[in-house]
Amino acid sequence: MFVQDRLDRSCDLIICLLIIRMRIVRFRIKCCASNLSVMPNMLLRDLPPRSHLEMACSIYPELDPSATEAVLLLLRAGDDLTAKFQDYMHHFGVSSGGFSLMMLLVNKGTGEFLKCSPAELADKSGVSRATVTGVVDTLERAGLVMREPDLNDRRMVMIRLTPKGQDVIMKMLPVHFKYIADFMRDFSEEERLELSKLCRKVIEMAKRPEREGAHVAGWQSIPLGSDKPGNG
């Protein structure tokens, strides 16, 4: 029971970190989509030391060194962790997004296989319907999931695992959970609890409307290329 509890907490923590990373990436895309071709994984390899951030305060009085350092570390940790999981998932022949969607089609407590609509999958994973459709298309081509009519509404479709998909996910889960436990082995139980607590706090803070964008501080988007010769 103790081992299972530690495993559950490890999985919980990993999920929290991945959710934080997804929310931060979506925020970056939302802020920049009208102006830039966003590259979510393009981050600083060498993060600035606290001393450099403190010196920058003389130029940017709005800069809060500890807040900036914490956010940069969250971004870096989220991207590094996501990249590590993507590489790991490729050994199974699925993307991390495909694996996450397949996980949503299994009740981890009972092992029961579930059916979900695209809208439900989008809501549970925190991504758009278009993103879910793309992932489902890829998994369907691989023979891992299938679409079938909703018995209660023939206009709707439900997504479920195929027998092949069920076999793949049930073979993946024990290996995956062990991988997570091994990944978190250097964290004590107290550290995991504290990190999980902080991650959940960040997730809740990110949901608040007032933290959605820089417009809170009076920032307004300026379309790139609008300031051209002859435009006044």
Side-chain angles (χ1 to χ4, degrees):
M1 179 63 70
F2 176 72
V3 173
Q4 182 62 46
D5 186 57
R6 286 178 63 90
L7 177 58
D8 290 342
R9 293 184 188 280
S10 296
C11 296
D12 221 27
L13 180 54
I14 294 292
I15 291 170
C16 282
L17 288 170
L18 290 175
I19 289 174
I20 287 173
R21 192 266 183 185
M22 289 167 61
R23 290 189 181 278
I24 292 173
V25 168
R26 286 208 305 276
F27 166 70
R28 294 207 302 255
I29 293 174
K30 184 175 181 179
C31 289
C32 303
S34 61
N35 295 328
L36 298 174
S37 176
V38 179
M39 298 177 65
N41 291 318
M42 189 174 179
L43 293 175
L44 295 174
R45 279 292 103 191
D46 299 315
L47 298 179
R50 173 71 73 87
S51 59
H52 289 188
L53 294 174
E54 291 171 347
M55 286 191 296
C57 288
S58 61
I59 304 173
Y60 307 104
E62 300 87 357
L63 191 153
D64 182 328
S66 63
T68 302
E69 182 180 50
V71 169
L72 287 174
L73 286 170
L74 272 173
L75 287 167
R76 174 66 178 276
D79 270 29
D80 285 356
L81 186 61
T82 300
K84 190 175 184 68
F85 271 72
Q86 286 174 340
D87 290 341
Y88 162 65
M89 290 302 161
H90 287 162
H91 292 296
F92 290 110
V94 299
S95 67
S96 57
F99 176 72
S100 297
L101 189 145
M102 292 174 71
M103 287 271 282
L104 293 174
L105 297 174
V106 182
N107 183 321
K108 269 69 70 180
T110 65
E112 177 187 3
F113 298 113
L114 309 172
K115 296 180 183 180
C116 293
S117 69
E120 289 174 320
L121 292 172
D123 183 60
K124 290 179 179 179
S125 58
V127 300
S128 68
R129 284 280 300 274
T131 299
V132 166
T133 297
V135 175
V136 170
D137 286 345
T138 300
L139 293 174
E140 191 172 35
R141 285 194 295 271
L144 299 174
V145 303
M146 66 177 293
R147 292 175 168 95
E148 61 181 24
D150 185 348
L151 296 178
N152 298 317
D153 186 345
R154 304 293 291 185
R155 296 169 300 176
M156 304 291 291
V157 298
M158 302 295 285
I159 312 300
R160 70 174 180 85
L161 294 169
T162 62
K164 177 183 175 181
Q166 295 174 6
D167 183 60
V168 168
I169 196 69
M170 295 312 290
K171 287 179 178 176
M172 287 177 67
L173 286 177
V175 178
H176 176 64
F177 290 142
K178 185 177 186 304
Y179 180 85
I180 291 176
D182 288 344
F183 182 84
M184 296 298 298
R185 67 180 180 275
D186 292 334
F187 287 84
S188 68
E189 186 67 13
E190 291 73 23
E191 288 173 328
R192 296 179 190 189
L193 289 171
E194 183 62 22
L195 188 53
S196 293
K197 177 182 175 181
L198 293 173
C199 285
R200 291 184 183 282
K201 185 173 182 178
V202 171
I203 291 170
E204 289 304 313
M205 288 166 57
K207 292 178 181 177
R208 298 177 189 172
E210 68 271 19
R211 298 178 188 268
E212 282 287 315
H215 64 276
V216 175
W219 179 83
Q220 300 237 347
S221 175
I222 302 175
L224 296 183
S226 61
D227 187 15
K228 296 180 180 178
N231 283 358

